[in-house]
Amino acid sequence: MKRDLVFDFGLHKGEDTAFYLEKGFRVVSFEANPELAQACRNRFSAQIETGKLIIMEGAVAPASAGDTLTFFVNERSVWGTIDKDWVERNEKAGAASKKIIARRIDVEEVIREFGMPFYMKIDIEGADQYVLEVLASFPDRPKYISIESSKEDLGEVIAECDRLRALGYNRFKAVQQEYIPGRQGVFTRRNGEQFSYTFPADSSGPFGDDIRQSWVSYEGILDDYRTIFRKYRWFGSGSPLMRVPGLHKLLWHAGKLGNIGLPGWYDTHAALDDE
């Protein structure tokens, strides 16, 4: 494992990559939307020049997809995907997509070229599980890993946690994402220096022990998600209560003040025990 290396699957506008660079990591980031990739090459030109950042432009997919594949660029840029089911879901939510052709990125080849990272953020709208499947073919694993978890099906979330446990992960956190934008904190760089940071819109937030909540066991994370899905049924975006005028806004502010996570979505973070 390369303890100074982070993989950012889902570069978008560089919201997370900027934080990882600030922490002092080398970063390999992945983005299929060519406009976003170019914007990040411009934004991080100095870090690219010094070798701190490598941007891989293309869509992450298994070899069965071919050397090139269709990528759906969504008008909500964070919803770009190769998955037609996700395209349909996005259209139902009122967000249209357009097709482009992207080159395929082979995750196994990337790991062999750059090494196994210390942390791997996976947020690539429908292709997260493919990355986990690739990890199963390596004896080494990232110390920390995170994936965006389903908010539609508890069974899918349990299956995600099962895959992480099968990879050897035994400590977990369900991290609420709705209230991360605008959150401020003081963090420590790899060289020991401290710095202040404010997370921007569309950021995934910190990782590892920088997340200020306790790690829980496999059984604990399943209990947490059962509670979360009970909240989804009552207060999720598709619940009858959310049709009450003004209630969504009220619950959003109440959730932020009370740190109870209403409404929102979650990332699952997992960690390996220290060797």
Side-chain angles (χ1 to χ4, degrees):
M1 183 202 320
K2 307 282 189 178
R3 299 189 70 87
D4 66 338
L5 179 65
V6 167
F7 280 5
D8 183 359
F9 286 103
L11 169 62
H12 193 237
K13 297 178 183 179
E15 300 92 340
D16 294 323
T17 283
F19 177 67
Y20 308 147
L21 289 168
E22 190 70 39
K23 285 274 290 181
F25 288 97
R26 294 184 300 117
V27 184
V28 180
S29 298
F30 304 80
E31 180 53 57
N33 184 326
E35 293 182 3
L36 294 177
Q38 184 56 52
C40 285
R41 282 193 285 267
N42 295 337
R43 176 182 178 182
F44 298 111
S45 59
Q47 292 89 342
I48 292 171
E49 181 67 24
T50 59
K52 294 291 289 183
L53 173 64
I54 295 171
I55 295 176
M56 304 285 290
E57 183 178 329
V60 171
S64 59
D67 293 335
T68 61
L69 67 158
T70 300
F71 182 81
F72 297 88
V73 176
N74 194 270
E75 60 186 31
R76 293 186 61 176
S77 56
V78 292
W79 284 1
T81 183
I82 63 173
D83 191 315
K84 292 181 179 179
D85 290 338
W86 284 60
V87 172
E88 183 178 347
R89 181 208 69 171
N90 295 342
E91 289 177 349
K92 288 180 179 178
S97 299
K98 66 177 182 181
K99 297 179 181 179
I100 66 169
I101 300 301
R103 78 177 186 94
R104 182 181 67 87
I105 293 177
D106 188 300
V107 175
E108 183 173 347
E109 291 180 1
V110 169
I111 293 174
R112 295 193 186 284
E113 179 177 359
F114 297 106
M116 188 64 70
F118 179 68
Y119 169 55
M120 184 180 286
K121 184 209 88 177
I122 312 172
D123 187 358
I124 43 178
E125 304 300 295
D128 296 24
Q129 300 309 311
Y130 159 63
V131 180
L132 297 185
E133 291 171 4
V134 171
L135 284 179
S137 66
F138 286 85
D140 200 9
R141 307 277 191 269
K143 167 71 173 178
Y144 299 107
I145 193 168
S146 67
I147 61 173
E148 183 179 13
S149 288
S150 170
K151 60 182 294 185
E152 309 296 332
D153 186 342
L154 177 59
E156 288 184 13
V157 176
I158 293 173
E160 292 164 0
C161 293
D162 286 343
R163 292 187 186 99
L164 290 168
R165 183 171 68 161
L167 289 170
Y169 293 95
N170 55 6
R171 294 185 289 139
F172 302 87
K173 297 181 183 185
V175 180
Q176 217 278 353
Q177 299 293 292
E178 184 75 25
Y179 306 119
I180 286 176
R183 183 178 295 172
Q184 299 176 326
V186 176
F187 302 93
T188 303
R189 296 189 176 96
R190 295 189 67 253
N191 64 6
E193 296 175 350
Q194 290 192 321
F195 67 101
S196 297
Y197 195 86
T198 301
F199 292 100
D202 297 320
S203 172
S204 298
F207 68 91
D209 292 328
D210 280 341
I211 302 171
R212 293 180 176 88
Q213 67 187 68
S214 298
W215 294 102
V216 298
S217 65
Y218 169 79
E219 292 77 13
I221 196 68
L222 297 190
D223 286 342
D224 286 348
Y225 272 117
R226 291 185 185 103
T227 299
I228 289 165
F229 270 79
R230 284 195 291 271
K231 294 178 182 179
Y232 283 159
R233 284 197 293 272
W234 285 100
F235 304 108
S237 56
S239 69
L241 281 175
M242 290 300 98
R243 301 190 187 104
V244 177
L247 186 58
H248 183 281
K249 185 176 181 179
L250 176 64
L251 287 173
W252 191 93
H253 287 288
K256 186 172 185 179
L257 290 172
N259 194 31
I260 54 178
L262 300 174
W265 70 101
Y266 286 75
D267 282 359
T268 300
H269 287 249
L272 298 172
D273 284 334
D274 291 322
E275 296 179 356

